[in-house]
Amino acid sequence: MDNIRNFCIIAHIDHGKSTLADRILELTGVLHTTANAQVLDSMALERERGITIKAKSVRMPYQSRSGQSYILNLIDTPGHVDFNYEVSRSLKACEGALLLVDAAQGVEAQTIANAYLAIDAGLEIIPVINKIDLPNAMIDECRLQLEDMLGLPAKDALLISAKDGTGVPNLLEAIVSRLPSPRGGVDEPLRCLIFDSYYDSYRGVIAHIRLFSGSLRRGDRIMIKSTSKVCEVDEVGYFLPQITPSDKLMAGEVGYVAATIRKAGDIHVGDCIISPDRPETAAIPGFRRSQPMVFCGIYPINSSDYSKLAAALEKFQLNDSSIVYEKESSAALGHGYRLGFLGMLHMEITLERLKREYGQELISTMPSVIYKVVTTRGETLMIDNPSRFPTAAYIDHIEEPIIRARIIVPNAFVGPCMELSESRRGTLVSMEHLDTRRALLTYDFPLAETVTGYYDKLKSVSRGYASMDYDLAGYRSSDLVKVDVLVKENQVDALSFITVRDSAIPKGRALIHKLRKLIPRHLFEIPLQAAIGGKVIARENIVPLRKDVLSKCYGGDITRKRKLLEKQKEGKKRMKMVGSVEVPQEAFMLLLKMEE
């Protein structure tokens, strides 16, 4: 165990984590020719978008300059704030972390957030300044920022270029000399942390584990601590980076275990594997549940695919334990699920993965946040779906979730960023100048405002230089109303939304105007209305299609024509009573585009 090092690479998005992982894989002889291919980003979506979505682990042999042999277990983590839960899980499986800083960008918002996560987890941190080969590298400024903003000694920072390999051999030496070895013994009772998992169609659930004590081999009986389910181990092994079977796993090692676990619900990320002979063994503490920030409803396009969607979600949750879901039904869309995500990018990636990896054809509703509704009876309701809101007469007040956002922005773009933030109901808490070039703005925002494209607009107004990180700061009372959409006097619950009273009328009008163009014309008139309670705040009509019933009347008495027109009028009246209107799928994503 003295010769094992478990570490992860943490950084802001696009600071070179996956490229550094490539260089380490090359130097340790695991892979020979990667050509900056970012090998650990193996998912098609990761390649397309150029971001890390899933944390990946790999085991590497390393011979130090002193001739000592080591085993390095590396976990490459995502950098975007929406995949923060992947990072926090990976930290639990490690003793040390490499904190990467881009020499051209400096310490950014997510660098600070990830550094604090590592400090809270009690990890040894090695600060690393990457991209020193760039002509605009600011090495001295980065050292100062590490010391001033994170309290890490500037002299300890290593200088590397992950792209061309400069300084990476020295970094490997620092990993074995500065990071601690795992604690725990092979003779102690079995304790494993499940920090990730996925579903294999042939072998069931494959769990990614870190052994804290004991050992594990094929044929052993294991027990899942939370469910007390006992099963037999089929296979254990390592990630090299492909899954590679081995004889056994020992305390301190990172690997995988395949057991006779066929049902996805029998195992959870953050759970502990123990020996059934020692059921009193304590679970590994400190693993927090994720807090969903954004909710949306998903429904199968074909209602007969509901059971397939249920199975897909159960398997998907094994691979991404930060999503939460529950059953939901809508009058307009039938049966589906309400999903909770960590942010808008997380929602976008999840829906795309469900379509690609599980073949699901889905309709998704407008993203919303969770509101705290206090009724006139003094009850407090937590509501994540506008259709579940009580009627206005029973509401005393509504509280909305507030986030504390930290925005790091170059001085030249402070004005546009503040203007954008104030237009989104942001309250400036503090403003600090980190150095001569950049400012740190701390804002309190309603979470609902950041759901509708705030991050994209922040990148636009700052020409891509601003970085943002946020935490949930609590709830605050606001003057909010629920806007209902009625199509032919029938409420379409999937189109309801919550907004501030001042912007309810313009938003309602904009939605109705766009809806009028989307819903096809029928043979009868279709009124579209937006209403707050019983008060209609916007209305437009879709004019009916009209058949020319007089085309066959060419001459004769006027009463013949009148008779045909009266007959048509009666038919239209009857059609209006019994006719139904189909709302097209595009309408349900309209609310996202209302800002444009």
Side-chain angles (χ1 to χ4, degrees):
M1 279 181 69
D2 291 342
N3 289 10
I4 295 175
R5 297 290 182 272
N6 299 320
F7 67 99
C8 58
I9 307 175
I10 55 175
H12 188 81
I13 192 166
D14 207 25
H15 278 207
K17 295 177 295 298
S18 299
T19 309
L20 175 59
D22 280 359
R23 290 297 78 72
I24 294 174
L25 289 170
E26 273 183 7
L27 283 170
T28 52
V30 176
L31 293 168
H32 295 290
T33 51
T34 57
N36 296 318
Q38 299 181 344
V39 176
L40 296 184
D41 291 350
S42 53
M43 202 188 296
L45 260 178
E46 292 179 317
R47 293 287 171 90
E48 280 171 32
R49 290 174 177 253
I51 57 172
T52 304
I53 293 167
K54 284 292 300 169
K56 303 284 191 317
S57 55
V58 60
R59 176 190 173 96
M60 303 167 291
Y62 175 63
Q63 184 116 15
S64 72
R65 287 169 186 166
S66 62
Q68 192 89 335
S69 293
Y70 290 91
I71 293 292
L72 306 181
N73 289 309
L74 154 70
I75 301 177
D76 177 29
T77 65
H80 197 282
V81 63
D82 282 12
F83 304 109
N84 190 264
Y85 193 56
E86 290 283 325
V87 181
S88 70
R89 292 206 320 256
S90 304
L91 294 172
K92 280 285 161 198
C94 301
E95 278 78 39
L98 306 183
L99 180 68
L100 236 60
V101 176
D102 185 329
Q105 303 283 341
V107 172
E108 303 232 41
Q110 201 57 27
T111 317
I112 300 169
N114 285 340
Y116 286 146
L117 278 177
I119 292 163
D120 291 346
L123 267 61
E124 182 69 35
I125 297 174
I126 299 178
V128 181
I129 298 171
N130 187 22
K131 305 191 186 181
I132 59 166
D133 56 321
L134 294 178
N136 58 341
M138 312 170 299
I139 295 165
D140 293 334
E141 288 97 319
C142 289
R143 286 186 193 272
L144 279 171
Q145 288 167 15
L146 282 166
E147 203 152 88
D148 295 346
M149 296 165 72
L150 297 171
L152 298 170
K155 65 179 191 308
D156 291 350
L158 297 169
L159 305 180
I160 68 158
S161 167
K163 191 174 181 181
D164 61 23
T166 308
V168 181
N170 293 337
L171 174 60
L172 286 171
E173 284 298 310
I175 288 167
V176 297
S177 61
R178 285 163 61 174
L179 296 185
S181 58
R183 291 184 296 276
V186 181
D187 305 326
E188 294 173 25
L190 175 69
R191 281 171 89 216
C192 303
L193 174 73
I194 302 169
F195 66 90
D196 205 351
S197 59
Y198 68 95
Y199 191 84
D200 185 289
S201 308
Y202 302 103
R203 295 188 293 174
V205 180
I206 309 287
H208 297 208
I209 57 166
R210 157 71 201 276
L211 271 82
F212 281 84
S213 59
S215 62
L216 204 54
R217 66 181 75 228
R218 185 177 179 175
D220 283 0
R221 289 170 72 248
I222 56 170
M223 185 164 111
I224 313 297
K225 179 75 177 172
S226 66
T227 57
S228 299
K229 183 178 173 65
V230 177
C231 43
E232 190 176 307
V233 175
D234 291 337
E235 184 179 293
V236 294
Y238 309 116
F239 302 100
L240 296 174
Q242 306 80 14
I243 62 169
T244 308
S246 72
D247 295 334
K248 63 176 178 178
L249 289 175
M250 310 286 281
E253 294 188 316
V254 174
Y256 71 90
V257 60
T260 48
I261 304 167
R262 295 283 173 263
K263 287 172 81 178
D266 287 345
I267 197 165
H268 303 284
V269 168
D271 223 329
C272 187
I273 292 176
I274 57 172
S275 167
D277 303 330
R278 303 290 292 272
E280 74 285 352
T281 307
I284 295 151
F287 204 89
R288 64 179 181 85
R289 293 292 302 157
S290 65
Q291 279 288 322
M293 297 279 200
V294 175
F295 293 83
C296 95
I298 62 167
Y299 299 85
I301 287 175
N302 188 346
S303 55
S304 61
D305 291 340
Y306 176 71
S307 56
K308 288 181 190 169
L309 176 60
L313 279 173
E314 201 169 48
K315 289 172 187 173
F316 184 81
Q317 198 181 35
L318 279 175
N319 196 238
D320 184 356
S321 59
S322 55
I323 67 157
V324 295
Y325 64 92
E326 60 177 36
K327 290 179 183 175
E328 180 180 78
S329 62
S330 153
L333 300 170
H335 292 289
Y337 284 90
R338 188 134 194 101
L339 269 67
F341 308 94
L342 298 181
M344 284 297 287
L345 179 69
H346 186 212
M347 172 184 140
E348 202 181 312
I349 294 289
T350 300
L351 297 180
E352 189 61 35
R353 285 184 67 192
L354 283 169
K355 286 174 188 173
R356 289 191 190 191
E357 295 170 28
Y358 298 91
Q360 297 297 310
E361 290 292 320
L362 302 171
I363 301 173
S364 57
T365 64
M366 166 66 183
S368 67
V369 299
I370 195 159
Y371 291 95
K372 196 183 278 186
V373 178
V374 180
T375 65
T376 48
R377 295 175 186 165
E379 298 169 335
T380 301
L381 309 172
M382 302 300 281
I383 295 175
D384 58 16
N385 188 343
S387 63
R388 293 182 190 159
F389 264 70
T391 50
Y394 295 107
I395 297 174
D396 181 60
H397 67 274
I398 303 171
E399 293 179 19
E400 62 181 336
I402 301 297
I403 57 166
R404 177 149 291 183
R406 290 171 293 282
I407 303 161
I408 296 178
V409 61
N411 292 336
F413 303 110
V414 166
C417 287
M418 290 179 81
E419 202 176 306
L420 170 68
S421 301
E422 272 152 33
S423 72
R424 295 304 187 99
R425 298 192 288 139
T427 309
L428 183 66
V429 177
S430 67
M431 178 175 170
E432 300 166 47
H433 286 279
L434 303 173
D435 50 40
T436 53
R437 298 182 319 108
R438 301 180 311 156
L440 169 64
L441 306 175
T442 307
Y443 268 96
D444 279 353
F445 277 110
L447 178 58
E449 293 291 335
T450 61
V451 164
T452 50
Y454 171 79
Y455 186 70
D456 295 341
K457 285 194 168 58
L458 179 69
K459 284 287 183 190
S460 298
V461 300
S462 67
R463 295 188 196 163
Y465 286 109
S467 65
M468 176 181 147
D469 164 55
Y470 61 83
D471 302 308
L472 195 62
Y475 281 79
R476 186 171 69 197
S477 183
S478 298
D479 187 14
L480 300 166
V481 289
K482 176 191 171 192
V483 178
D484 291 316
V485 174
L486 293 90
V487 176
K488 202 172 151 287
E489 295 169 7
N490 295 321
Q491 188 182 325
V492 182
D493 53 359
L495 286 174
S496 301
F497 63 95
I498 308 297
T499 186
V500 189
R501 193 180 294 275
D502 296 345
S503 61
I505 293 176
K507 275 190 178 177
R509 280 183 183 154
L511 178 62
I512 293 298
H513 183 69
K514 289 189 176 184
L515 210 53
R516 184 175 69 85
K517 295 175 183 174
L518 268 182
I519 295 176
R521 289 168 68 190
H522 288 55
L523 291 168
F524 49 89
E525 185 181 71
I526 304 169
L528 303 174
Q529 297 166 306
I532 299 172
K535 183 186 175 186
V536 175
I537 57 169
R539 171 173 173 142
E540 292 205 18
N541 291 338
I542 299 174
V543 293
L545 291 166
R546 192 179 180 106
K547 186 182 174 185
D548 187 4
V549 291
L550 302 181
S551 59
K552 58 187 176 185
C553 269
Y554 46 89
D557 191 10
I558 186 70
T559 53
R560 286 181 65 201
K561 293 182 180 178
R562 208 169 277 151
K563 193 175 172 185
L564 285 169
L565 289 169
E566 285 297 322
K567 197 174 177 183
Q568 185 186 36
K569 194 176 173 183
E570 284 299 313
K572 289 231 183 253
K573 200 182 285 182
R574 190 164 60 251
M575 211 184 284
K576 197 171 181 179
M577 287 165 63
V578 297
S580 63
V581 181
E582 285 256 329
V583 180
Q585 294 162 29
E586 297 83 34
F588 300 105
M589 290 313 283
L590 258 186
L591 286 160
L592 272 178
K593 297 171 186 154
M594 289 222 303
E595 303 291 325
E596 294 169 14

